[in-house]
Amino acid sequence: MKIWLVAYFIMNIAGLVIMWEDKRRAKKHEFRISERTLWLVALFGGAVGTTAGMQLYRHKTKHTSFKIGFPVLAVIELVLLIKFLL
């Protein structure tokens, strides 16, 4: 069980960092991180981190799929985490 919590924590940190990095690259007009990669990080346990990064860095907030999808996925992941821990 401990390994799952560590993996969940790492994926959410990765989600937060990847949103920051994509925002940084967008400001500098550099090669961007693909939306597919952002979604994969969120789907594999990093939805809370990507949602936090989206709000914290004001990144991808105009894209409906991100604005709605990331928070919904984050809620699902948190519910599954709570069920897993109980």
Side-chain angles (χ1 to χ4, degrees):
M1 182 166 79
K2 189 175 182 179
I3 190 78
W4 290 106
L5 288 175
V6 171
Y8 182 76
F9 179 75
I10 289 171
M11 287 305 294
N12 280 291
I13 295 297
L16 187 66
V17 169
I18 205 167
M19 291 299 278
W20 169 79
E21 178 64 19
D22 193 46
K23 177 67 174 191
R24 186 191 68 77
R25 290 181 184 187
K27 285 181 176 180
K28 292 184 172 189
H29 304 286
E30 293 179 350
F31 185 74
R32 304 280 301 280
I33 296 168
S34 72
E35 290 186 355
R36 181 174 188 239
T37 300
L38 299 174
W39 274 107
L40 285 173
V41 169
L43 284 170
F44 286 109
V48 173
T50 53
T51 301
M54 183 176 66
Q55 297 301 317
L56 184 63
Y57 306 120
R58 298 177 194 262
H59 188 52
K60 299 285 186 188
T61 56
K62 292 183 180 180
H63 297 260
T64 305
S65 64
F66 287 96
K67 190 165 59 171
I68 294 172
F70 277 2
V72 168
L73 189 57
V75 168
I76 291 168
E77 287 181 7
L78 285 171
V79 167
L80 290 174
L81 178 67
I82 290 168
K83 287 192 177 253
F84 182 71
L85 290 176
L86 297 179

